């Protein structure tokens, strides 16, 4: 996510009804986090997303921005679905945060749960029944009141229809019953305690609209506009790989956004997006390369934001694609089923070189699965466990396991077949390509071949299991439950060819046991310890190797955006936040305000959780990405 130094006031009175809650929650994208192939919502979602077919704006016809005061954001990731029941990519889940309220939100200062659609919540003494008070000052954009029945219907639909649980089913898998005894009261009864009940990253949808939907597996919510929602924005138009248009919700309970229109416009080529920023054709560009960021540092009317991110950049090994019914599919290389081979490959990876040469210092070396930004859950291996850069050890491991070099210098398996692997690479992500070249060199020295398959659409081969390795990444949420759930056996597709929430077909009994334990643990310290044990287990399997935690590198025009809230405020990101703070808080520069007559109500900013948007005063260069396509695939 993105960052700038801001200040915000949190009104104690707005939070007084909220009981102490366990720290929690991973996009989204944007998100599951959700994930990086091309699915995954969450807010905690995957890192990269497909930018398939993204077009530059031609300034003609329905591509032309219609409002005088427009905040235009350049994106490269394709929308996988506008249905919050299906969407997993960061761009999609970020849009859902703008058009639908969740029960709770995250404070932009410290990411603690704060009121969203629910004004307060409380558990029963046994933690098996949670009662939420639904605000009475929220209305759907078609004028109908929002009630607890909308929330109850949303969750119940996910419980009863597997297709409606595609993106966010992990949140409701433990629900026994959901009811709305009156318009302002939502009651969720659990089968067993569930630690993320203040971090249910599920968009609440209008029952009167969605109960008309037949097949939730195919309905993408992209046929009728404007889309009925109750968030700070209303989605008014959408063209695949061209643009997403949103207008302020003038009746939003926190107050209307200040810009007349928010547009996400597609640029498949990052340099074209940067050129558009320079010319003032777009207001904001995320996911900059270090070279692009450097070229903008001294550009007139442009601010570069460089801060620790919520994403990780990893290597994922295909563990053998499988379904819950035991069916095997895909074409993963059988040698990667051997943990010795995976460990040897990762011993040959030089993380320091990736940080210095690929990210040019705008990242930190990877350790565990959860980025250091989320301190309660961050983990790093000790010296004896760490798979450090050691090419000699990699070669020795392979030799000892019977993978020796032949007369041509090619490493072969026990049947004499050469070890030649494929790695899925996002064509729109220069980091994938650059790291791919290093891997070819490092693994080539071991006698192992590597074909770097850079595709516009990596989702299809990924879902089919037709890969050996892949560049992976997710945006992690303050509560890590979702980004952990995608590596459980329950996330596998039901049958070969089906769609599950799995990131990489991982199914490990020990990991699952720990997941079940942390999911029920309300004590923050004990839960943190369980989450660290999960990361340790995932690390030891060698199926996920986190190489770096990239900074959020992004830039915006100061002659279009006067101030904007980062998350966290002290040094955070703007794009792909765990909330809607950036685009909701954005203040137009003086010229834009004059053109629009001032936009929304400034007084409204002081209500709700009491965020006072303050002028961004510094962008520090701090050195401390639901499925895949570009660097912001999953949320």
């Amino acid at each position: 996510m993105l960052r700038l130094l801001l200040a915000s006031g949190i009104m104690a009175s707005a939070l007084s009804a909220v009981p102490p809650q366990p720290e929690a929650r991973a996009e989204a994208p944007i998100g599951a986090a959700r994930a990086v192939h091309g699915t995954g919502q969450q807010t905690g979602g995957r890192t990269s997303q497909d930018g398939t077919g993204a077009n530059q704006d031609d300034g003609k016809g329905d591509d032309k921005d219609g409002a005088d005061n427009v905040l235009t954001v350049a994106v490269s990731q394709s929308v996988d679905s506008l249905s919050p029941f299906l969407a997993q990519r960061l761009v999609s889940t970020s849009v859902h945060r703008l058009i639908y309220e969740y029960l709770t939100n995250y404070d932009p200062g410290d990411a603690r749960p704060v009121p969203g659609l629910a004004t307060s919540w409380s558990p029963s003494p046994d933690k098996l029944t949670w009662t939420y008070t639904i605000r009475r000052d929220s209305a759907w954009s078609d004028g109908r009141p929002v009630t607890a029945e909308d929330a109850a219907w949303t969750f119940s639909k996910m419980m009863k229809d597997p297709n409606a649980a595609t993106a966010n089913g992990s949140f409701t898998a433990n629900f026994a019953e959901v009811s709305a005894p009156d318009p302002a009261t939502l009651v969720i009864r659990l089968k067993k305690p569930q630690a993320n009940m203040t971090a249910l990253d599920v968009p609440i949808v209008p029952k009167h609209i969605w109960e008309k939907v037949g097949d939730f597996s195919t309905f993408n919510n992209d046929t009728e506009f404007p889309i009925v929602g109750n968030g700070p924005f209303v989605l008014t138009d959408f063209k695949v790989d061209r643009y997403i248009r949103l207008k302020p919700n003038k009746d939003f309970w926190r107050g209307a956004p200040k810009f007349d229109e928010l547009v996400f416009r597609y640029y498949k080529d990052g340099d074209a997006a940067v050129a558009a920023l320079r010319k003032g054709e777009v207001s904001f560009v995320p996911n900059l390369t270090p070279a692009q960021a450097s070229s903008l540092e001294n550009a007139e009317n442009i601010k570069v934001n460089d801060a620790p991110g919520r994403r990780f950049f990893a290597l994922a090994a295909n563990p053998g694609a499988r379904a819950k019914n035991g069916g095997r599919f895909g074409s993963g290389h059988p040698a990667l089923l051997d943990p010795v081979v995976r460990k040897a490959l990762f011993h040959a990876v030089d993380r320091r070189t990736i940080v210095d040469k690929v990210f040019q210092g705008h990242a930190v070396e990877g350790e565990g699965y959860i980025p250091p930004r989320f301190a309660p859950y961050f983990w790093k291996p000790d010296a004896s466990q760490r798979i450090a850069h050691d090419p000699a050890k990699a070669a020795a491991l392979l030799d000892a396991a019977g993978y020796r070099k032949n007369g041509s210098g090619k490493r072969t398996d026990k049947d004499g077949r050469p070890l030649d692997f494929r790695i899925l690479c996002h064509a729109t992500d220069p980091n994938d390509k650059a790291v791919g070249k290093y891997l070819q060199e490092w693994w080539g020295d071991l006698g192992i071949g590597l074909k770097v398959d850079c595709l516009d659409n990596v989702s299809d081969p990924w879902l089919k299991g037709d890969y050996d390795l892949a560049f992976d990444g997710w945006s992690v949420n303050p509560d890590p439950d979702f980004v952990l759930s995608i590596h459980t056996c329950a996330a596998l597709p039901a049958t070969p060819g089906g769609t599950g929430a799995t990131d990489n077909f991982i199914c490990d009994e020990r990991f699952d046991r720990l997941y079940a334990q942390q999911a029920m643990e309300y004590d923050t310290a004990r839960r943190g310890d369980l989450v660290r044990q999960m990361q340790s287990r995932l690390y030891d399997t060698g199926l996920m190797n986190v190489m770096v935690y990239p900074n959020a590198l992004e830039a915006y025009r100061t002659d279009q955006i006067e101030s904007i809230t980062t998350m966290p405020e002290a040094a955070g990101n703007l794009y792909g936040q765990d909330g809607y703070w950036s685009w909701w808080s954005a203040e137009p520069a003086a010229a834009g305000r004059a053109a629009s007559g001032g936009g929304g109500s400034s007084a409204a900013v002081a209500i709700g959780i009491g965020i006072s948007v303050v002028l961004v005063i510094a962008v520090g260069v701090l050195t401390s990405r639901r499925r895949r396509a570009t660097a912001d695939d999953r949320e």
Side-chain angles (χ1 to χ4, degrees), residues 332-346 394-395 397-406 408-423 439-440 442-451 468-469:
H333 199 296
L336 289 172
L337 299 178
D338 188 340
V340 172
V341 174
R342 300 195 297 265
K343 189 172 184 178
L345 290 177
F346 296 152
L397 285 171
L398 291 170
D399 286 339
Y403 299 93
R404 299 182 177 277
K405 289 184 178 181
N406 60 21
S408 302
K410 287 288 297 182
R411 190 80 59 173
T412 62
D413 65 16
K414 298 161 189 179
D415 296 322
R417 293 173 298 186
L419 296 187
D420 288 322
F421 300 130
R422 306 159 295 171
I423 187 167
L439 295 180
Q440 286 178 318
W442 296 331
W443 293 349
D445 290 342
L446 289 175
I448 295 173
L450 180 66
K451 179 184 179 184
D468 301 325
L469 301 120

Side-chain angles (χ1 to χ4, degrees), residues 72-425:
T72 305
V73 178
V75 295
S76 61
Q77 186 180 55
S78 295
V79 167
D80 51 344
S81 178
L82 288 179
S83 165
F85 298 96
L86 299 178
Q88 297 178 350
R89 292 180 180 173
L90 181 61
V91 66
S92 311
T93 58
S94 296
V95 167
H96 289 142
R97 280 201 173 274
L98 299 176
I99 64 177
Y100 299 111
E101 275 275 43
Y102 297 19
L103 288 182
T104 61
N105 208 327
Y106 299 103
D107 182 84
D110 59 10
R112 72 183 183 276
V114 295
L117 182 58
T119 60
S120 64
W121 46 88
S122 61
S124 60
D126 63 4
K127 301 293 194 298
L128 291 178
T129 300
W130 284 73
T131 302
Y132 301 81
T133 299
I134 302 301
R135 65 176 59 257
R136 296 179 181 274
D137 56 350
S138 180
W140 297 112
S141 53
D142 62 0
R144 299 273 291 266
V146 180
T147 72
E149 183 61 28
D150 294 301
W153 185 90
T154 299
F155 291 125
S156 296
K157 186 65 180 179
M158 294 168 60
M159 295 165 61
K160 298 172 184 176
D161 185 345
N163 293 319
T166 299
N168 297 304
S170 64
F171 290 107
T172 59
N174 181 46
F175 287 12
E177 182 183 25
V178 183
S179 61
D182 62 67
T185 305
L186 174 72
V187 179
I188 300 177
R189 188 167 59 84
L190 305 172
K191 301 171 186 175
K192 54 190 176 184
Q194 182 168 322
N196 64 354
M197 293 304 288
T198 61
L200 298 173
D201 287 332
V202 176
I204 304 302
V205 302
K207 175 185 175 182
H208 65 284
I209 299 294
W210 284 84
E211 65 184 353
K212 302 172 187 177
V213 175
D215 187 352
F216 273 68
S217 70
T218 59
F219 180 71
N220 284 311
N221 198 25
D222 58 0
T223 57
E224 294 186 15
F225 299 96
I227 291 176
V228 177
N230 65 330
F233 291 88
V234 178
L235 201 161
T236 59
D237 197 10
F238 166 67
K239 290 290 186 296
V240 175
D241 292 336
R242 291 173 69 184
Y243 59 78
I244 308 164
R245 294 186 179 282
L246 305 101
K247 292 289 183 70
N249 179 356
K250 300 298 184 181
D251 299 318
F252 184 53
W253 67 274
R254 285 194 200 276
K258 308 302 189 314
F259 278 86
D260 295 332
E261 189 173 35
L262 171 63
V263 179
F264 294 92
R265 189 165 297 284
Y266 286 82
Y267 288 84
K268 186 174 181 179
D269 181 78
D271 289 333
V274 170
L277 182 72
R278 288 182 179 277
K279 292 185 286 187
E281 295 173 353
V282 299
S283 315
F284 178 91
V285 177
N287 303 320
L288 297 174
T289 66
Q292 291 168 343
S294 178
S295 75
L296 294 171
E297 282 288 353
N298 298 313
E300 185 177 4
N301 296 324
I302 291 177
K303 271 283 189 182
V304 174
N305 185 36
D306 180 4
R310 64 185 277 231
R311 306 193 70 85
F312 61 78
F313 179 66
L315 273 175
N318 186 344
R322 54 179 158 170
K324 291 178 185 176
N325 67 359
R328 297 275 178 169
F329 57 98
S331 58
H333 199 296
L336 289 172
L337 299 178
D338 188 340
V340 172
V341 174
R342 300 195 297 265
K343 189 172 184 178
L345 290 177
F346 296 152
H347 267 304
V349 173
D350 186 352
R351 292 176 176 80
R352 187 72 254 163
T353 292
I354 294 174
V355 169
D356 293 342
K357 301 298 184 181
V358 177
F359 291 90
Q360 296 180 27
H362 300 279
V364 295
E365 288 188 50
E367 301 279 3
Y369 189 62
I370 309 294
R373 168 166 162 175
F374 304 103
Y377 304 108
F378 178 64
W379 169 87
K380 60 193 307 180
D382 59 31
S384 63
Q385 185 182 16
R386 189 166 186 262
I387 306 175
H389 178 228
D390 191 340
K393 186 171 184 178
L397 285 171
L398 291 170
D399 286 339
Y403 299 93
R404 299 182 177 277
K405 289 184 178 181
N406 60 21
S408 302
K410 287 288 297 182
R411 190 80 59 173
T412 62
D413 65 16
K414 298 161 189 179
D415 296 322
R417 293 173 298 186
L419 296 187
D420 288 322
F421 300 130
R422 306 159 295 171
I423 187 167
L424 279 177
C425 157

Side-chain angles (χ1 to χ4, degrees), residues 357-535:
K357 301 298 184 181
V358 177
F359 291 90
Q360 296 180 27
H362 300 279
V364 295
E365 288 188 50
E367 301 279 3
Y369 189 62
I370 309 294
R373 168 166 162 175
F374 304 103
Y377 304 108
F378 178 64
W379 169 87
K380 60 193 307 180
D382 59 31
S384 63
Q385 185 182 16
R386 189 166 186 262
I387 306 175
H389 178 228
D390 191 340
K393 186 171 184 178
L397 285 171
L398 291 170
D399 286 339
Y403 299 93
R404 299 182 177 277
K405 289 184 178 181
N406 60 21
S408 302
K410 287 288 297 182
R411 190 80 59 173
T412 62
D413 65 16
K414 298 161 189 179
D415 296 322
R417 293 173 298 186
L419 296 187
D420 288 322
F421 300 130
R422 306 159 295 171
I423 187 167
L424 279 177
C425 157
H426 305 94
T428 54
D429 190 344
N431 295 324
D432 281 14
K433 297 175 183 177
V435 175
K437 291 181 179 179
Y438 278 109
L439 295 180
Q440 286 178 318
E441 176 185 341
W442 296 331
W443 293 349
D445 290 342
L446 289 175
I448 295 173
L450 180 66
K451 179 184 179 184
V452 182
D453 288 328
C454 291
L455 308 174
D456 283 334
N457 176 12
V458 300
S459 297
D460 289 346
W462 202 313
L463 292 170
K464 295 175 182 178
D466 289 333
Y467 66 98
D468 301 325
L469 301 120
F471 292 111
D472 198 359
W474 284 80
S475 290
V476 178
N477 295 337
D479 187 292
D481 185 86
F482 175 81
V483 84
L484 297 171
S485 73
I486 58 178
H487 293 311
T488 61
C489 301
L492 295 173
T495 60
T499 299
T502 184
D503 173 48
N504 195 41
F505 304 104
I506 294 173
C507 177
D508 179 78
E509 290 184 2
R510 190 186 307 176
F511 185 90
D512 272 20
R513 285 196 299 270
L514 290 166
Y515 174 79
Q517 293 175 41
Q518 69 81 32
M520 296 189 297
E521 183 55 70
Y522 287 93
D523 182 88
T524 300
R526 289 197 292 266
R527 187 176 182 217
D529 181 62
L530 289 167
V531 170
R532 284 185 284 274
Q533 291 181 51
M534 294 178 70
Q535 295 178 77

